[in-house]
Amino acid sequence: MFFDEMTGHGAAGEVRESYRALSRWLADSPPDLLEARSKQAEFYFRRMGITFAVYGQVNASERLIPFDIVPRILSASEWLLLEAGLVQRVAALNLFLKDIYGAQECIRAGIIPADIVLTNPHFRPEMTGRRPPQDIWVHIAGVDLVRTDEDAFYVLEDNARTPSGVSYMLENREMMMRLFPDLFSEYPVRPVENYTDMLLHSLKTSAPDSASRDPCVVVLTPGPFNSAYYEHSFLADKLGVELVEGSDLYVDDALVYMRTTEGPRRVDVIYRRVDDDFLDPLTFNPDSALGVPGLMLAYQAGNVTLANAVGTGVADDKAVYTYMPEIIRFFTGEDPILHNVPTWRCREPDALKEVLSRLDEVVVKEVGGSGGYGMLVGPAATKDEIETFRKKLIADPAAFIAQPTLQLSTAPTFCGSQLSGRHVDLRPFVLTGPQGVQVAPGGLTRVALKEGSLVVNSSQGGGTKDTWVLDV
């Protein structure tokens, strides 16, 4: 039986303490009211243009990410544990990245095999021996968490390149406050609205030492055809900074400038939503029209901050993920507060043999995959799909990891005209600046809207919920 966020294991039908007021409210709310509010939310999101495009599909027109009106609630004690674990983990990620582009002590100590790092497609030799401004690598992280029981939270993956979804966290909260102000009066919910203030302060204080007292921050987007363009424009607006494309910037004498109607203006911090490969055609992909020629020259000279730093994609890798417990112990001297999901490294012969013997039971993932693509969910797969993955694993075992099919927790979700349990995960957003590591009190709860599905990714049809962290 799945653990349910509202009723626990539900054996006696008892509602957990943090959900009691919500349970009463739902019981008193007629279905037609919830249905009307759900339609209102959809109308608002559509009017605001809060959309998401899915690449690679025949019909790739922009669509809404479905929003569920029933919040996911975390008690103060639950959040205290998660917050401590997230701070520890992201601090270790920063130390790990600093080390692999520096002394590489973790490799020499045998904490992680050299080939997993040095042959990783996201390892950037250009950053070897370099230090980003203020020595910060992962300014913004999105750490995906899943829950299997009352006190059992696990890290599913780390997103350290350009984690997305924070705009939905903020818009979901605004929507809930519009639609259900009476429900908020029942709960001491911690605000998430100050996330952009936290982010702007973190970015400005991460500016190069040569920056002015009021550093110029911009958000760099690939442009309006990017699937997450809405989020780019939303964040630039909320931060009060310019949204720019590569053609809006240029480099002169190892400094980055923005073209404005009043003449050139120096740029000190770039919150970039462009992947490494496309940042600078003079250093990476020469065919890229999305980046800024010479940007790496300015970056390596320490004259501009890129958030996140170039080369952080190594920490996104699912093979590296499997070594995170050892990485945390090595760099912090502490045991991990949040544990990984048990994982088989298919590069290891014994692990591969085990995985091949139970493909119909496990989840197999590409080490460089994301968005729910390139994976096999064994219990839900056909025989043909399983055999296709068997051949892939045998041909290139190092390209895959495997994990048991987790009993992801469920949360009450409004489906059509009634409430039903659906599987959820949680992506909190973690900021790092000279002031240390901070976690926004909430995050993006993603929900698998298809009954029985464990895939919550928006690109695979998942929806989102507002996440409430209680003060007491």
Side-chain angles (χ1 to χ4, degrees), residues 196-211:
T196 49
D197 293 332
M198 293 167 56
L199 174 59
L200 185 60
H201 180 261
S202 183
L203 292 174
K204 285 191 171 186
T205 55
S206 299
D209 292 335
S210 60

Side-chain angles (χ1 to χ4, degrees), residues 235-379:
L235 284 171
D237 180 60
K238 292 293 185 181
L239 290 168
V241 304
E242 293 293 334
L243 178 68
V244 300
E245 297 181 34
S247 58
D248 297 317
L249 305 177
Y250 69 94
V251 176
D252 184 29
D253 196 22
L255 297 174
V256 181
Y257 292 93
M258 173 173 54
R259 295 180 174 91
T260 78
T261 56
E262 298 175 353
R265 181 181 179 189
R266 180 179 168 182
V267 172
D268 304 298
V269 181
I270 300 176
Y271 177 12
R272 50 98 171 207
R273 299 300 293 264
V274 174
D275 288 340
D276 289 354
D277 284 339
F278 305 101
L279 270 178
D280 182 350
L282 301 183
T283 302
F284 302 120
N285 185 343
D287 297 324
S288 172
L290 303 177
V292 184
L295 179 59
M296 282 299 291
L297 176 65
Y299 185 50
Q300 291 171 333
N303 292 331
V304 67
T305 294
L306 296 179
N308 289 340
V310 171
T312 56
V314 175
D316 272 13
D317 188 87
K318 291 178 176 61
V320 172
Y321 159 89
T322 67
Y323 292 91
M324 276 306 296
E326 292 88 349
I327 288 169
I328 290 170
R329 292 187 185 97
F330 183 75
F331 287 108
T332 70
E334 303 167 349
D335 286 332
I337 297 170
L338 295 173
H339 297 287
N340 276 15
V341 175
T343 305
W344 290 280
R345 301 169 185 141
C346 296
R347 62 184 271 132
E348 299 173 357
D350 288 345
L352 176 63
K353 183 178 178 181
E354 178 75 10
V355 170
L356 289 173
S357 71
R358 49 194 298 190
L359 277 177
D360 60 339
E361 303 172 14
V362 301
V363 177
V364 184
K365 301 177 181 179
E366 292 181 350
V367 295
S370 63
Y373 294 105
M375 63 186 287
L376 173 78
V377 181

Side-chain angles (χ1 to χ4, degrees), residues 137-148:
W137 292 81
V138 183
H139 302 79
I140 305 116
V143 181
D144 291 345
L145 304 172
V146 294
R147 185 181 204 170
T148 60

Side-chain angles (χ1 to χ4, degrees), residues 406-419:
L406 294 179
Q407 303 284 340
L408 297 190
S409 66
T410 59
T413 302
F414 188 71
C415 302
S417 60
Q418 63 183 2
L419 291 172

